[in-house]
Amino acid sequence: MSRRLRAVESAALGLLLLLSAACGSRLPESDFEHRGTSPTPSAGTAPIRVGIITSATSPVGAAAFTGPRDGAKAWFERLNARGGIDGRPVEVRLCDDGGSGVGNNECVHELIDEDKVVALVATTALDYAGADLVARARVPDIGGQPIGAAYDTYPHLYGIYGSLAPRNGTPGWGGQLYGGTEVYRYFAREHGARTAAVVSYNQAASAAYARLVVRGLKAEGYDVVTEEVDFALPNFRAAAADLKEQGADLVLDALDTHGNARLCEAMDEVGAEITAKVTNVQNWTSTVPEDYKDSPRCRNALWATGSSRNYEDTDQAAVREFRDGTERLGTHSQWQLEGWAAAKWFTEAARACAEAGTGVTRACVDDFMNRSDGYTADGLLIPVRFERLSEPPRTRRTCLSVARWQDGRGWVSQGDMNADCFDVPQLAYRP
């Protein structure tokens, strides 16, 4: 993303992505794309219909949420070119909810009640207002991005990172979600980081997220420097000068992408030397040279963390398949890879149903998903689990995928995502 995000939405988004981790307009029907690569099926080879809901147009920006959709579409196009599922092509119905709750409910109604999709795949919605309708219809929603609390609230919804929550209609446990401190533990253990700066706006959602980051850092024994800038007229140079003076090893933030770029520029201007400028999976993209074009030193201190294998790791067969299947896309991103993994997950469920002779039905696919335990999409994901614990965990062993940006090389993986694991405390927060 290169355009400025609204801080209230971007801060909330960053919170949920790191710890899982509005209004808009609907597009006309003609813009709800239906693109396939297979010819119209003959009798006996009826297509298997799936839906993808994306906030493709929203207050957050036109390109902010489209990565998972594009990755999933690429998987299904490749699948259809190879014969589909048991000889049946997958027909993808897209719906743009405009980033609004009203639009999301309309998309849910259109895809489930009118198009009769078997499942939703790679949902990426700014306001997943229709999640309750999806759950009541018992339609499996596979591999969605946990931008809100829906994937820790409702049954039949299966987020890309899994869930330990009961999912009985209330978010998490009694309205509280939990996230770990593994990111902070990693930089302390692997790079000796001891002092962290947290930069936020003087705006409610940004400040709330910053407070949560500060709690996690302090739980891991960091000295924490807080820097607050004015949302309307931010003085990033002053913040950068202070974090340099305080000797920060890490810089974390509750800013939008535009704010991050300006902060990085200011850090380069004042000569701040840091171990890492830490970002999240949504910003793990090939557009870094454009987004941070004016801050080469800070750009090469960018690190991203997540729960999926680096899309640059082409020595891995599953990543090579993803890159081959998405070659036509102008950019690459970690969210595209996770959308690809979500579509692959649905495909494995549908094939299991076809082989069992039950038919590819909502109920059969949902049963497969309910039994998913340790799913990895052939190594693309850190093992995903759905456990429905009655009590929240106090601690949890959590593994981490880590990459660092280097000019000329792109995102370079650091260590093994299945070995960089930590037993860390789980901190409560309200979504």
Side-chain angles (χ1 to χ4, degrees):
M1 295 175 293
S2 59
R3 69 179 61 185
R4 184 173 177 82
L5 308 182
R6 293 185 182 179
V8 60
E9 285 136 355
S10 63
L13 175 61
L15 164 63
L16 290 160
L17 290 174
L18 282 166
L19 294 181
S20 343
C23 62
S25 59
R26 286 295 309 280
L27 294 181
E29 292 295 319
S30 60
D31 285 339
F32 296 153
E33 304 173 58
H34 167 210
R35 299 175 184 171
T37 58
S38 296
T40 302
S42 59
T45 59
I48 299 168
R49 190 173 291 169
V50 300
I52 301 178
I53 299 175
T54 309
S55 297
T57 56
S58 77
V60 176
F65 294 98
T66 54
R69 178 202 69 187
D70 294 344
K73 280 177 58 184
W75 166 269
F76 287 128
E77 288 168 1
R78 190 177 182 88
L79 176 70
N80 287 342
R82 296 179 174 184
I85 298 172
D86 197 28
R88 300 173 63 187
V90 175
E91 181 181 293
V92 179
R93 294 293 178 95
L94 305 184
C95 194
D96 176 7
D97 67 11
S100 75
V102 171
N104 188 264
N105 274 311
E106 290 177 1
C107 278
V108 167
H109 171 68
E110 176 184 321
L111 294 175
I112 291 178
D113 299 327
E114 298 176 14
D115 291 342
K116 307 294 185 184
V117 298
V118 171
L120 300 177
V121 178
T123 300
T124 313
L126 179 60
D127 182 358
Y128 198 176
D132 181 47
L133 299 177
V134 175
R136 284 194 275 122
R138 298 178 177 268
V139 174
D141 176 342
I142 300 171
Q145 289 291 338
I147 295 168
Y151 292 97
D152 285 305
T153 301
Y154 298 106
H156 312 294
L157 274 62
Y158 305 93
I160 193 68
Y161 309 130
S163 175
L164 303 182
R167 293 187 292 140
N168 56 10
T170 300
W173 293 266
Q176 289 191 318
L177 303 183
Y178 288 75
T181 59
E182 60 273 6
V183 173
Y184 319 131
R185 178 77 59 88
Y186 170 84
F187 284 102
R189 191 190 76 174
E190 298 297 323
H191 301 283
R194 291 292 179 268
T195 302
V198 181
V199 186
S200 64
Y201 291 120
N202 61 343
Q203 183 273 339
S206 178
Y209 175 39
R211 288 194 295 270
L212 186 64
V213 174
V214 169
R215 281 179 58 208
L217 288 164
K218 288 185 175 179
E220 290 297 331
Y222 281 81
D223 293 325
V224 181
V225 178
T226 58
E227 306 286 350
E228 185 177 85
V229 297
D230 185 76
F231 178 46
L233 296 170
N235 187 344
F236 287 111
R237 186 180 179 87
D242 189 56
L243 66 87
K244 176 188 177 183
E245 179 69 21
Q246 299 290 335
D249 303 309
L250 301 184
V251 176
L252 303 103
D253 66 86
L255 306 174
D256 53 2
T257 302
H258 177 78
N260 264 297
R262 291 187 61 193
L263 175 62
C264 266
E265 289 175 33
M267 289 168 60
D268 273 18
E269 288 173 4
V270 303
E273 299 284 349
I274 60 170
T275 299
K277 171 69 181 71
V278 185
T279 188
N280 59 48
V281 67
Q282 192 194 18
N283 297 314
W284 192 335
T285 75
S286 62
T287 63
V288 166
E290 304 161 24
D291 296 337
Y292 297 87
K293 64 181 184 301
D294 296 322
S295 47
R297 184 186 293 113
C298 181
R299 181 174 68 236
N300 283 279
L302 285 175
W303 293 63
T305 63
S307 299
S308 54
R309 190 173 299 281
N310 184 2
Y311 74 83
E312 301 268 28
D313 284 350
T314 52
D315 59 323
Q316 301 288 322
V319 176
R320 285 198 305 275
E321 184 183 25
F322 161 73
R323 293 297 294 267
D324 289 344
T326 56
E327 187 176 11
R328 64 178 177 77
L329 299 178
T331 61
H332 282 98
S333 73
Q334 206 63 17
W335 262 14
Q336 290 172 0
L337 180 141
E338 291 180 355
W340 174 279
K344 182 179 177 66
W345 204 349
F346 166 79
T347 300
E348 294 189 24
R351 280 181 172 151
C353 291
E355 291 170 2
T358 60
V360 183
T361 64
R362 292 173 177 177
C364 181
V365 171
D366 186 65
D367 184 61
F368 179 95
M369 293 302 300
N370 245 331
R371 291 181 285 107
S372 290
D373 184 27
Y375 182 74
T376 69
D378 288 335
L380 293 178
L381 304 174
I382 290 173
V384 182
R385 301 185 186 280
F386 300 97
E387 296 190 33
R388 296 178 182 265
L389 302 181
S390 58
E391 298 291 333
R394 294 181 180 273
T395 62
R396 186 185 182 191
R397 185 163 182 79
T398 306
C399 300
L400 197 62
S401 177
V402 184
R404 179 182 182 180
W405 179 267
Q406 294 182 13
D407 286 348
R409 298 183 65 189
W411 289 103
V412 180
S413 294
Q414 308 293 307
D416 180 352
M417 72 178 191
N418 292 309
D420 285 333
C421 305
F422 309 90
D423 293 304
V424 294
Q426 300 295 295
L427 304 180
Y429 66 96
R430 288 197 175 275

